[in-house]
Amino acid sequence: MDGTIDGFRYGVVTPVAAYVMACLGGALGLRCIVRTLLNNDSWKPGWLALGAASIGCGIWTMHFIAMIGFQVEETRIGYQVGLTVLSLAVAIAVVGVGVFIVGYRGAGLGSLSFAGVVTGLGVAAMHYLGMAALQLNGDIDYAPLTVALSVLIAVVAATAALWAAVTIRGFLPSLGASLVMGVAVSGMHYTAMAAVSVHVHGATSSWAGDSPTSLLLPMLIGPVVFLLLAGVVVMFDPLLVLGDGEWNRPARAGRAGAAQEAVSRPAPSRSWSDG
């Protein structure tokens, strides 16, 4: 028989919390990438890696917070630990590929398109790996057209995020881009969940594996703590807080003053003995 699916078991709590985490990961990731553009002397691989890990953790955390609100009334749900952890690694790895491509090659049409497709497909792979980790007393089916739409949303969202990362440098514009990115990522998730249907084998509620709360909540602690620590790094970096103009203004003012003084200083007089 067909299972009764409810993706909002706790009302708006899980969608809102998932959206916030997606925005947080996106905001931190974008600012880390901007950091490599504002200062050529910064350690680019380190900042790009931190940005990729932030975005990847944000996407993964968003997915599994949203999944806490997912239930099938006729059966209980469990998760395989291995696939759940693998989905996190995939999220960080594929976002890293896209981030490093645009970080080193810029937002040209070719590199941006390739990076966006790779990253979008990786985000979709993370989602469906997370779905593959589901254990329940039934079979999960997917509507092909809705799945294709969710993958398309993931690719478009990833491309837009990577473009924003190397194009938008101001703090407020980056914040706005992260809010839009959160909408896109959350939209991809719930579009993909709309493709799900469950055929329940029977009325039994037994399953092998851990419950969503006993497994997901402890596993979410690590990525959430990482995002908070990344936030501390970004908050205490003057270049990211003040921006390019404010950070360089004292230096530029000092150089401009020195140049003006050199121009306005009268040339030393020459005596007959010098010549």
Side-chain angles (χ1 to χ4, degrees):
M1 65 176 175
D2 292 333
T4 304
I5 296 175
D6 183 8
F8 303 94
R9 181 179 183 180
Y10 301 104
V12 299
V13 174
T14 49
V16 170
Y19 172 73
V20 169
M21 296 310 299
C23 292
L24 176 60
L28 294 175
L30 293 180
R31 296 309 292 167
C32 289
I33 298 170
V34 167
R35 180 63 167 78
T36 67
L37 304 174
L38 296 180
N39 186 357
N40 293 328
D41 296 330
S42 62
W43 185 41
K44 178 174 270 192
W47 283 104
L48 291 178
L50 181 60
S54 297
I55 297 174
C57 284
I59 294 172
W60 184 89
T61 305
M62 177 279 303
H63 170 79
F64 281 102
I65 287 179
M67 289 305 295
I68 292 176
F70 176 80
Q71 70 170 353
V72 181
E73 292 185 5
E74 292 79 7
T75 179
R76 300 178 69 182
I77 295 175
Y79 288 87
Q80 294 180 6
V81 177
L83 285 177
T84 303
V85 175
L86 178 62
S87 66
L88 173 60
V90 168
I92 295 175
V94 296
V95 171
V97 171
V99 165
F100 272 80
I101 289 175
V102 298
Y104 279 97
R105 302 194 61 178
L109 180 60
S111 59
L112 181 62
S113 299
F114 178 74
V117 170
V118 170
T119 305
L121 292 177
V123 170
M126 179 280 301
H127 174 89
Y128 289 104
L129 270 175
M131 293 300 295
L134 275 173
Q135 293 183 319
L136 45 78
N137 187 37
D139 297 321
I140 300 177
D141 297 319
Y142 297 94
L145 291 179
T146 310
V147 169
L149 178 59
S150 70
V151 174
L152 178 61
I153 293 174
V155 170
V156 172
T159 304
L162 293 173
W163 173 85
V166 296
T167 305
I168 301 176
R169 302 194 181 188
F171 178 77
L172 290 180
S174 291
L175 180 60
S178 67
L179 296 178
V180 175
M181 181 179 173
V183 171
V185 172
S186 298
M188 176 268 167
H189 171 84
Y190 285 104
T191 300
M193 295 308 296
V196 173
S197 60
V198 177
H199 181 75
V200 181
H201 293 161
T204 178
S205 61
S206 62
W207 83 99
D210 298 308
S211 67
T213 52
S214 65
L215 172 64
L216 295 183
L217 289 179
M219 292 189 69
L220 286 169
I221 292 176
V224 170
V225 170
F226 172 82
L227 289 174
L228 293 177
L229 292 176
V232 171
V233 172
V234 171
M235 285 175 57
F236 285 94
D237 185 88
L239 186 56
L240 286 177
V241 174
L242 297 177
D244 186 35
E246 296 295 332
W247 173 258
N248 290 329
R249 183 176 296 170
R252 289 201 304 266
R255 290 194 296 268
Q260 182 64 30
E261 182 181 355
V263 171
S264 60
R265 184 186 300 123
S269 61
R270 293 171 57 91
S271 65
W272 289 105
S273 60
D274 295 332

